[in-house]
Amino acid sequence: MSATQLPIRLRNHRCYGELVREIRLSMLPGRWDKVDYTHMLMLVGSCTNLKLLDMNLCGNMRSSELVGLFLLCPSVCRSLEYLDICETGFSASAITRVLQLMPNLQHLDISDTDADDDLLVVVSQSNQKLTYLAVAGCINVSNMGIKAVVETCTKLEVVDIAECPFIDDYSFLEANNIKLEIDSERDSNGYMP
């Protein structure tokens, strides 16, 4: 076993990270300060066929470490279909760089991050297999960014734009039969009371 392989026991068989398809850290207590770059590199670097990565609230990594993690794991970038990095504090530029490496992404949750319209333009160019996009609470996202994604991501089915104060035109979403997830407390202009 090499130093980069993660030993995993399944019943009485010893196998390795190639069998792992999902890593869900969102229910891990204390993940906001316990999960760091070293842990993520060991997990993600060993799981070369990963399909789902949920890092929700894992905020103990710097933006540069997020980019470095995926630059070191190109096979994961190619295999990843589901990424949740909401409430992590990663910069828009770091998220942008990472998403450019993930052509097969179908589910993306970047809610409550520093995401902006420029990032969504990159999503529209790099992640055209998206079926689900969540940008809830991303205050720098506007109609322009969402329209860019809708126009090129033709498989898109659901968009979560709750608490996005600069998105006030839903007609392009409705015209493309995209399910809209939005905070019900908004007024008719899309603003919170």
Side-chain angles (χ1 to χ4, degrees):
M1 175 173 59
S2 77
T4 60
Q5 289 181 320
L6 179 65
I8 299 169
R9 288 189 73 70
L10 296 175
R11 298 187 189 177
N12 292 328
H13 303 283
R14 187 173 175 166
C15 51
Y16 298 98
E18 296 88 23
L19 299 176
V20 176
R21 298 293 182 264
E22 298 183 4
I23 297 177
R24 295 179 187 263
L25 300 176
S26 65
M27 298 308 289
L28 181 67
R31 67 192 173 281
W32 43 89
D33 62 357
K34 292 180 182 172
V35 177
D36 62 15
Y37 175 73
T38 306
H39 297 119
M40 291 307 300
L41 184 59
M42 184 172 54
L43 284 170
V44 174
S46 299
C47 302
T48 56
N49 296 313
L50 199 60
K51 299 285 184 200
L52 182 150
L53 179 58
D54 181 351
M55 293 175 55
N56 174 330
L57 263 177
C58 294
N60 199 23
M61 281 178 57
R62 295 188 305 264
S63 293
S64 60
E65 292 173 331
L66 177 74
V67 174
L69 173 68
F70 288 107
L71 286 175
L72 289 172
C73 304
S75 64
V76 171
C77 293
R78 287 187 299 277
S79 68
L80 208 58
E81 296 174 356
Y82 180 113
L83 180 64
D84 182 343
I85 54 173
C86 73
E87 299 186 76
T88 52
F90 298 130
S91 69
S93 61
I95 297 170
T96 299
R97 180 68 180 111
V98 165
L99 293 177
Q100 290 172 322
L101 303 170
M102 300 178 177
N104 294 310
L105 212 53
Q106 297 172 23
H107 180 110
L108 176 61
D109 190 341
I110 51 176
S111 298
D112 295 306
T113 65
D114 197 26
D116 57 18
D117 288 338
D118 292 338
L119 185 152
L120 292 182
V121 168
V122 170
V123 166
S124 74
Q125 297 164 350
S126 303
N127 310 109
Q128 294 183 358
K129 294 181 181 180
L130 277 185
T131 59
Y132 178 91
L133 173 65
V135 293
C138 294
I139 60 171
N140 298 316
V141 170
S142 73
N143 294 329
M144 184 191 83
I146 295 296
K147 282 181 184 178
V149 174
V150 169
E151 288 172 359
T152 57
C153 297
T154 57
K155 296 180 181 192
L156 197 60
E157 297 171 0
V158 179
V159 176
D160 183 351
I161 57 172
E163 299 179 34
C164 294
F166 299 110
I167 299 175
D168 57 6
D169 180 4
Y170 310 123
S171 61
F172 60 94
L173 293 166
E174 293 164 356
N176 287 286
N177 295 319
I178 295 173
K179 181 181 175 194
L180 182 63
E181 292 184 5
I182 187 167
D183 191 346
S184 61
E185 294 180 359
R186 291 174 179 262
D187 64 20
S188 60
N189 295 319
Y191 293 99
M192 296 293 289

